[in-house]
Amino acid sequence: MKAIIQDTYGSPDVLELREIDKPAPGPDDVLVRVRAAGVDQGVWHIMAGMPYLVRLMGFGLRRPKNRVRGRDVAGHVAAVGANVTRFQPGDEVFGWCDGTFAEFACAAESNFALKPANLTFEQAAVVPVSGITALLGVRDSGKVSPGQRVLIIGAAGGVGTFAVQIAKAFGAEVTGVCSTTKVDLVRSIGAEQVIDYTQTDFAETGQRYDVIFDTAGNRPLSHLRRALTPEGTLVIVGAETDGRWLGGFDRQIRASLVSPFVRQHLRSLMSTERHEHVVALSELIEAGDVTPVVDRSYPLAETPEAIRYMRAGHARGKIAITV
């Protein structure tokens, strides 16, 4: 099969389209004929091996342990293991697994759910990783409830577009923070108010929020806390600074150290995908509460260009790879 391979850490230039062996499903596995895969910041971190903390987390010290990139996937079931009961060949599914920038991908059946009928493969493929991150941040860490004022920083991004819609579905009054060119998008997906960060500092407006969901990964903890209510909740998602060792994860460490000594709840989120999470997202999508925002799609051979586009910060929502 064709797949996007990397043998060393580095820029998108290390990615190559090659022919490799097709994976074989074990007794509990599902083999998926990939129709589309999603691109997220985690793909870049593993590709680049940056910050170095990524390598220490088990992805490989000197080179990637898994040579095929990609985590989100949507496609048809090609084959199932002897113990699989949820799916049969031909089913349309979406979920997550290692190595989805390829013609076939394989993982345990618990990694997949039936694709919502109202989504294309490209839309379904961008849901799992970013959608689950948003769901866990809004529902579990933020504990968003009806009537709360919620601020979502990075509201036009891959995680942010899901977070706006999920918070809205939970009955919150949502304010999104984004750049000038993305204001209309954030308003169109449900935000009552939108702050253009190039014009206005959200911490200086006088408005205080019950929950702040920060996906942008570069604002100081003290700055974020100024916009929180006295007992509000800050959820820090991801980290996107240029630090070579921690790359912004130091904010999450500081939040954990400070939180026990203040009334505000300062939380960091390390998302872990589970079957029940993708099912919950599927229910929100089928109910019409969440619609994935896909900026553009790239063919498999142009995966390096897709990652460059994402890292440039131009994307409105998510980017898909079609196979």
Side-chain angles (χ1 to χ4, degrees):
M1 69 173 185
K2 294 179 180 178
I4 295 293
I5 300 294
Q6 70 171 115
D7 293 319
T8 184
Y9 290 122
S11 73
D13 293 333
V14 304
L15 301 178
E16 298 180 13
L17 182 64
R18 298 187 198 167
E19 292 277 349
I20 63 171
D21 291 337
K22 184 170 66 175
D28 301 309
D29 294 339
V30 173
L31 178 68
V32 174
R33 172 62 174 92
V34 178
R35 293 288 303 278
V39 180
D40 64 89
Q41 295 291 349
V43 167
W44 180 86
H45 285 294
I46 298 173
M47 177 199 74
M50 296 295 294
Y52 293 136
L53 178 62
V54 169
R55 308 187 192 198
L56 297 176
M57 291 168 64
F59 291 100
L61 289 178
R62 296 189 176 184
R63 60 183 62 86
K65 284 186 178 180
N66 179 22
R67 300 166 65 219
V68 185
R69 291 281 60 78
R71 285 276 289 162
D72 295 294
V73 65
H76 293 97
V77 173
V80 298
N83 298 334
V84 172
T85 59
R86 289 193 181 105
F87 308 109
Q88 59 185 0
D91 285 344
E92 297 182 350
V93 298
F94 74 128
W96 73 95
C97 61
D98 291 326
T100 61
F101 294 167
E103 292 182 313
F104 291 88
C106 187
E109 68 172 328
S110 58
N111 286 36
F112 302 103
L114 291 173
K115 181 181 75 68
N118 55 340
L119 294 189
T120 65
F121 284 107
E122 288 85 355
Q123 288 176 310
V126 304
V127 171
V129 172
S130 294
I132 289 174
T133 300
L135 177 70
L136 297 183
V138 171
R139 184 191 67 184
D140 298 358
S141 297
K143 301 187 186 304
V144 171
S145 59
Q148 285 190 315
R149 295 186 301 276
V150 176
L151 181 75
I152 297 174
I153 304 170
V159 175
T161 49
F162 285 108
V164 169
Q165 296 177 79
I166 292 170
K168 183 73 175 177
F170 288 176
E173 179 185 317
V174 179
T175 297
V177 179
C178 63
S179 62
T180 307
T181 59
K182 301 173 183 178
V183 168
D184 289 344
L185 167 65
V186 175
R187 188 173 288 114
S188 74
I189 58 176
E192 283 88 357
Q193 300 179 55
V194 183
I195 296 174
D196 177 354
Y197 69 78
T198 70
Q199 304 293 325
T200 304
D201 183 347
F202 63 82
E204 303 300 332
T205 64
Q207 177 67 63
R208 296 296 176 261
Y209 300 92
D210 302 299
V211 178
I212 295 179
F213 188 78
D214 180 22
T215 74
N218 55 20
R219 290 175 175 81
L221 196 61
S222 58
H223 188 81
L224 296 167
R225 289 185 59 202
R226 288 208 307 271
L228 268 182
T229 58
E231 297 184 1
T233 298
L234 168 65
V235 181
I236 299 176
V237 182
E240 295 299 332
T241 68
D242 58 2
R244 297 181 67 83
W245 282 99
L246 296 179
F249 281 100
D250 52 307
R251 290 194 319 154
Q252 291 154 304
I253 295 170
R254 287 198 298 272
S256 298
L257 294 174
V258 171
S259 190
F261 303 100
V262 298
R263 294 166 61 196
Q264 294 168 328
H265 308 282
L266 313 180
R267 296 169 177 160
S268 58
L269 175 66
M270 296 296 289
S271 179
T272 301
E273 297 87 5
R274 294 180 181 173
H275 179 73
E276 57 264 31
H277 300 151
V278 76
V279 171
L281 286 169
S282 184
E283 291 172 351
L284 286 167
I285 290 166
E286 290 177 332
D289 293 324
V290 172
T291 300
V293 178
V294 180
D295 179 292
R296 60 182 64 184
S297 298
Y298 290 81
L300 184 63
E302 295 180 15
T303 297
E305 184 57 35
I307 294 175
R308 291 189 187 96
Y309 179 73
M310 177 194 66
R311 289 297 291 178
H314 301 313
R316 296 159 57 91
K318 294 281 294 183
I319 300 167
I321 301 297
T322 56
V323 183

